[in-house]
Amino acid sequence: MSLAELSMGSIQKFFIHGSIKTTVLRDITIQFIQGNTYALTGVSGTGKSTCIHILAGIETPSSGEVCFNKKNIFSYSPSRRTQFLSRSIGLLFQQPYLISELSVIENIIVPGLVIGKDKRWCIEEALQLLCLFGLDHKMHSKPSSLSGGQQQRVALARALFNKPTFLLADEPTGSLDCKTAKEIVNLLLVCREQWGMGIIVSTHDAYLARAMDMQYEIHDGVLRVV
Ligand SMILES: Nc1ncnc2c1ncn2[C@@H]1O[C@H](COP(=O)(O)OP(=O)(O)OP(=O)(O)O)[C@@H](O)[C@H]1O
Ligand SMILES: [Mg+2]
């Protein structure tokens, strides 16, 4: 089976507030291949999160294309795009954004239920993930009773639940101490080994950036290889 590709072609993104136009991304062209890992770095405000959000289909580019296996994801109908994103792209934000009313295991199975998987099957799958992530003893806990690192691991398990082709992670270690951040980096690499997904992270964390196969820096709206 050939490897999937996720690409950005001549992406431009600007924001307009009143009469002020701020161009964040001027010309981003890059191809990401399944099974490889990539770090997007750059000083604060250079557009790393914007890039991740455009790749995840939750922010629209001002011009240019985001293609999955050469098909522009913004040409899909909204419902097809949602289905595609739910199945093929896992998204992890800097903050875990867990649903406080749901238990850990209920949070993790949400993406499976969204694409119509059977609830009992989802719970079996989630249990395996929780064991891999060392959190099986917390399955019935509410997110508020977990540490920041544990919550981020639950959010990672949720992002990986549908075994996406690509995992996009916006500063996955941004709010964690050094030791907990290393645990998350190791988990990302274990998941790549196990499921062969591509991983794209935005980060200020030099340890995480160095752990990825390729590092790019966004500078003045364009990408350069580090
Ligand atoms: N919705 C928006 N409206 C206006 N400007 C925005 C919007 N979203 C982002 N920006 C601007 O785009 C620029 C890039 O923001 P972005 O969040 O992508 O940067 P970043 O590289 O992720 O920064 P950080 O490292 O601090 O997370 C910033 O100048 C920000 O103010
Ligand atoms: Mg950011």
Side-chain angles (χ1 to χ4, degrees):
M1 205 183 70
S2 60
L3 295 173
E5 291 172 19
L6 183 64
S7 64
M8 304 177 92
S10 305
I11 290 288
Q12 208 192 34
K13 178 69 185 178
F14 50 79
F15 296 100
I16 295 180
H17 283 290
S19 59
I20 299 171
K21 176 178 167 184
T22 310
T23 300
V24 179
L25 304 176
R26 288 194 299 127
D27 185 7
I28 304 280
T29 295
I30 184 169
Q31 191 183 40
F32 302 104
I33 309 287
Q34 183 183 7
N36 293 289
T37 60
Y38 304 84
L40 302 180
T41 65
V43 297
S44 185
T46 44
K48 300 179 297 298
S49 297
T50 306
C51 234
I52 294 282
H53 295 164
I54 290 173
L55 272 171
I58 59 172
E59 181 104 64
T60 318
S62 306
S63 63
E65 290 187 336
V66 175
C67 293
F68 183 80
N69 291 340
K70 310 218 184 302
K71 289 204 187 75
N72 186 355
I73 64 169
F74 291 102
S75 68
Y76 294 171
S77 68
S79 64
R80 178 150 179 240
R81 190 158 88 226
T82 305
Q83 276 295 312
F84 156 74
L85 293 171
S86 308
R87 288 171 190 276
S88 304
I89 306 287
L91 181 58
L92 183 66
F93 294 96
Q94 181 170 347
Q95 300 301 326
Y97 294 122
L98 299 171
I99 302 170
S100 57
E101 294 79 13
L102 300 183
S103 67
V104 161
I105 196 155
E106 287 167 341
N107 266 280
I108 293 175
I109 68 174
V110 167
L113 300 179
V114 166
I115 62 167
K117 299 273 186 194
D118 170 69
K119 187 170 178 186
R120 260 206 314 224
W121 180 89
C122 286
I123 286 174
E124 290 296 314
E125 282 287 303
L127 260 175
Q128 287 180 29
L129 270 175
L130 281 171
C131 290
L132 178 67
F133 284 28
L135 281 172
D136 40 322
H137 59 298
K138 296 283 186 188
M139 64 186 281
H140 296 305
S141 303
K142 289 278 163 47
S144 57
S145 68
L146 270 53
S147 70
Q150 288 171 334
Q151 289 187 28
Q152 194 61 325
R153 272 186 279 165
V154 174
L156 180 58
R158 181 179 60 184
L160 291 169
F161 188 79
N162 288 336
K163 307 289 178 336
T165 317
F166 286 94
L167 174 73
L168 309 178
D170 191 9
E171 307 213 22
T173 59
S175 55
L176 305 176
D177 65 74
C178 207
K179 179 172 171 287
T180 316
K182 283 186 177 173
E183 287 169 10
I184 293 286
V185 175
N186 288 338
L187 264 182
L188 288 174
L189 297 176
V190 165
C191 294
R192 187 264 291 262
E193 280 310 304
Q194 193 139 344
W195 295 299
M197 78 262 302
I199 299 179
I200 304 159
V201 299
S202 90
T203 189
H204 289 286
D205 175 349
Y207 178 81
L208 169 58
R210 279 199 303 270
M212 299 293 104
D213 300 325
M214 277 153 277
Q215 293 179 52
Y216 294 87
E217 183 185 12
I218 304 180
H219 179 75
D220 200 15
V222 297
L223 271 183
R224 63 187 187 196
V225 179
V226 176

